[in-house]
Amino acid sequence: QVQLVESGGGSVQPGGSLRLSCAASGSIRSINGMGWYRQAPGKERELVATITRGGSTNYADSVKGRFTISRDNAKNTGYLRMDSLKPEDTAVYYCNAVIEHYAYVRTYWGQGTQVTVSS
């Protein structure tokens, strides 16, 4: 079994910063792609950013230049640094990881962490 545990969410004023973490634990051979998604009330879940095992990144246009995705392969942990936060960034943020087990590959999701940007 694998668990993805997110942390670092909270409330912040516009222009503030937060850093989310996503720690994977369990029977893991390696982690391929990792990503962050978000879902605001009444909206569909959307991609925020992804990162490959080698470090190649991809961002939604709405967060380019403000958010930075990174990972520590030795710690099986991914991060999302969020700067210059806006009220429209308010959402539940979910991490996602494609994990190789010894016999199969499977995608896992974290439980979500709330980010609220408000004055």
Side-chain angles (χ1 to χ4, degrees):
Q1 278 287 37
V2 170
Q3 279 192 318
L4 297 183
V5 179
E6 296 139 343
S7 60
S11 296
V12 65
Q13 292 186 341
S17 298
L18 286 172
R19 186 196 194 208
L20 305 182
S21 298
C22 174
S25 62
S27 178
I28 298 170
R29 182 180 182 188
S30 68
I31 301 177
N32 294 338
M34 298 186 77
W36 290 92
Y37 294 72
R38 66 187 181 187
Q39 187 166 19
K43 294 188 177 181
E44 294 186 353
R45 189 174 297 189
E46 64 176 2
L47 171 71
V48 175
T50 61
I51 185 168
T52 67
R53 182 169 178 81
S56 297
T57 59
N58 179 59
Y59 295 92
D61 288 342
S62 59
V63 307
K64 280 181 182 176
R66 300 188 298 120
F67 290 11
T68 304
I69 189 171
S70 61
R71 61 190 286 172
D72 184 332
N73 291 333
K75 295 182 179 180
N76 286 339
T77 300
Y79 305 96
L80 184 69
R81 170 74 182 188
M82 304 184 293
D83 295 312
S84 302
L85 281 161
K86 304 175 181 180
E88 51 263 44
D89 294 318
T90 295
V92 177
Y93 284 69
Y94 298 90
C95 72
N96 156 292
V98 180
I99 294 177
E100 282 192 23
H101 300 277
Y102 287 90
Y104 58 94
V105 177
R106 182 178 172 183
T107 299
Y108 293 86
W109 290 87
Q111 80 285 358
T113 186
Q114 178 70 45
V115 171
T116 301
V117 185
S118 174
S119 56

